[in-house]
Amino acid sequence: MTKPKVIMHNSITLDGSFRDIEVDMELHYGTASSFGEDIHLVGANTAKIGIEMFGGLPPEEDDDLRKQERDEANPIWAIVDSKGILKGSLHVFRRFEMCRDVVVLVSASTPKDYLEYLKDRDYDFIVTGEKHADLKEALELLADRYEAETVMVDSGSSLNGALLEQGLMDEISLILLPLLTGGETESLFANIGKMKHIELELLKCEKLEKGYLWLVYGVKRSSNK
Ligand SMILES: NC(=O)c1ccc[n+]([C@@H]2O[C@H](COP(=O)([O-])OP(=O)(O)OC[C@H]3O[C@@H](n4cnc5c(N)ncnc54)[C@H](OP(=O)(O)O)[C@@H]3O)[C@@H](O)[C@H]2O)c1
């Protein structure tokens, strides 16, 4: 099995903030569309925060219990959620017109009632790993099952860090906001302190409107692990 190309895409201020910032959605997702993603990979915390950002949790309706008929050109949304924190909420994503359907990446530690919730609603899920999903195996299975070549990661530091640490990240795409927040910042990659220096290669540097910059770097050490 082959691993798909993995590109993370984040908006970040000039002083390194990526949480609680006002992301320009048009620029963020407009630039991301050029990657032609087959899979939109989202971390559970990011998804949970997204629900609040996009207007809260509507009650589930009959139509939410089954797969929707969507154009295959739309990406699959693969949500990493081994703890089942999105139980009762996944219909928010299934309703997105640009989401072909939701696939959940779980592990051996995932609560059984979450798996029942997924089965009852006909969500595909992939079980790998013990505590967390085994990202390498899950990516390979996604590529195989959905003929996916490109994965775009829409996530914060935990999932970004895990993918980088495991040598699974191929490109880092950043929308740089012309803004200093002065707030406390954390690394965009959890566990970066434990990693060796990682060399990057500049692939794109584009000036966007309103003083934004779009930077794309290739990760020189990737998918070799
Ligand atoms: N500015 C931007 O562009 C942008 C974009 C997205 C998100 N964000 C921000 O980022 C923040 C959320 O970031 P976060 O780091 O808390 O959450 P996150 O990115 O949603 O990551 C959490 C996910 O990572 C998974 N994970 C962590 N370590 C793993 C490992 N070793 N192997 C496999 N999976 C692993 C967890 O899996 P389990 O399910 O197993 O726990 C969980 O599903 C929010 O504030 C959000 O607004 C910003």
Side-chain angles (χ1 to χ4, degrees), residues 9-12 17-21 23 28 42-47 49 53 79-84 105 107 131-135 154-160 162 165-166 186 188 190:
H9 185 65
N10 280 88
S11 286
I12 186 162
S17 287
F18 61 94
R19 283 182 192 260
D20 306 321
I21 58 168
V23 170
H28 186 92
V42 192
N45 298 342
T46 297
I49 289 169
M53 263 174 57
I79 305 185
V80 188
D81 185 20
S82 73
K83 298 189 186 74
L105 307 186
S107 72
K131 185 178 170 210
H132 296 293
D134 178 322
L135 294 170
D154 187 358
S155 178
S157 61
S158 310
L159 189 56
N160 287 342
E165 193 175 14
Q166 293 173 37
E186 61 179 301
L188 195 50

Side-chain angles (χ1 to χ4, degrees), residues 149-189:
E149 292 178 359
T150 306
V151 174
M152 196 198 80
V153 187
D154 187 358
S155 178
S157 61
S158 310
L159 189 56
N160 287 342
L163 289 163
L164 188 69
E165 193 175 14
Q166 293 173 37
L168 301 170
M169 190 80 85
D170 297 290
E171 291 182 13
I172 296 171
S173 166
L174 298 177
I175 302 297
L176 201 58
L177 276 65
L179 178 72
L180 302 171
T181 61
E184 278 191 28
T185 54
E186 61 179 301
S187 173
L188 195 50
F189 303 95

